[in-house]
Amino acid sequence: MREKELLPGFAVSRETFLKLKEYEKLLIKWNSKINLVSKSTLEDFWNRHILDSVQFFCSIGEKKGKWVDFGSGGGFPGLVLAILSDEFGVSNNLFLIESDVRKSVFLKTVCRELGLVVDVFNNRIEEISPMSVDVVSARALAPLKTLCFYAESHLNENGIAVFAKGENWESELLEAQKNWIFKYDVVNSKLHQRSVILVLRGIKSV
């Protein structure tokens, strides 16, 4: 029975909720030693990080396949996606790419502690060979034009890209369209006014 509502119309089991809470404890513990997230966001941790990552899952439904998260950092949205995939029985092969060694160790530790089957790569995105994945995601990583470059290298023919963007998303979109062709959907954030999740398809260079 799903009894913990995270977002309107989106609930999870108590077990999954507790797993998310355990993840929160691990991150706060590690954050005192390495900068996983800004300390100023810890007071509003669930809205700023957990629930914001839940929106990635909601934005594309229960899409199955290979999913790679760029610049995973503290695990948002990648580790939250892994936890939700287990909850909903979605068969996803998840990969997290993080260039910082200490952050990569943190990601692997959380996966081990929570029993998550996730591959963590301690590499720069540019160093990874094309992965032909179904979904790529990124949050607070780079301008959209740069994310399109990363995504085009790793998506398969029918793959989609899911990127969180703030209030300047429209100007980023226009800038990216100077060099890239793609179809896109705009999913308005349920948590942060003027923030969106962009879902891109068919990314090709001009």
Side-chain angles (χ1 to χ4, degrees):
M1 179 179 178
R2 294 183 177 127
E3 56 187 41
K4 296 290 185 180
E5 189 172 60
L6 300 182
L7 293 172
F10 186 84
V12 297
S13 66
R14 184 173 182 274
E15 180 183 6
T16 292
F17 179 75
L18 292 176
K19 189 174 288 189
L20 289 168
K21 293 294 289 183
E22 185 62 28
Y23 172 29
E24 177 185 13
K25 290 179 184 178
L26 287 167
L27 185 138
I28 290 173
K29 177 182 177 181
W30 279 65
N31 207 62
S32 64
K33 301 176 183 178
I34 62 175
N35 185 33
L36 295 166
V37 299
S38 172
K39 292 181 180 179
S40 65
T41 67
L42 292 179
E43 291 185 2
D44 194 26
F45 181 82
W46 272 73
N47 279 333
R48 292 291 297 273
H49 300 295
I50 297 291
L51 298 184
D52 200 44
S53 297
V54 170
Q55 291 190 115
F56 276 79
F57 190 85
C58 296
S59 67
I60 64 168
E62 298 175 10
K63 185 175 178 64
K64 300 181 181 180
K66 293 174 66 176
W67 188 320
V68 60
D69 186 44
F70 297 143
S72 297
F76 306 109
L79 291 181
V80 176
L81 295 169
I83 293 170
L84 294 179
S85 291
D86 285 351
E87 161 79 5
F88 290 90
V90 179
S91 178
N92 277 323
N93 193 4
L94 290 159
F95 302 87
L96 310 186
I97 299 177
E98 173 53 52
S99 62
D100 186 284
V101 174
R102 295 181 301 169
K103 291 178 181 179
S104 295
V105 172
F106 167 75
L107 294 170
K108 292 176 182 178
T109 300
V110 174
C111 291
R112 183 177 65 251
E113 293 287 329
L114 300 184
L116 303 174
V117 181
V118 177
D119 290 306
V120 179
F121 293 144
N122 178 214
N123 298 91
R124 294 180 60 82
I125 299 169
E126 300 89 338
E127 297 171 346
I128 303 292
S129 299
M131 298 178 69
S132 188
V133 300
D134 300 287
V135 185
V136 300
S137 60
R139 178 176 179 264
L141 178 64
L144 184 61
K145 62 181 181 181
T146 304
L147 294 175
C148 285
F149 173 74
Y150 294 153
E152 194 267 343
S153 299
H154 292 287
L155 285 172
N156 63 34
E157 185 178 354
N158 298 311
I160 63 174
V162 192
F163 301 134
K165 286 295 169 185
E167 59 184 21
N168 295 321
W169 67 269
E170 289 176 293
S171 60
E172 283 198 44
L173 184 66
L174 290 173
E175 186 65 24
Q177 288 173 324
K178 294 177 181 178
N179 299 103
W180 299 95
I181 298 171
F182 49 79
K183 296 180 180 178
Y184 68 93
D185 294 316
V186 180
V187 181
N188 291 317
S189 172
K190 295 182 173 67
L191 302 165
H192 312 297
Q193 191 175 10
R194 298 189 300 277
S195 292
V196 302
I197 292 176
L198 296 176
V199 182
L200 278 55
R201 297 173 173 82
I203 300 173
K204 297 180 180 178
S205 60
V206 173

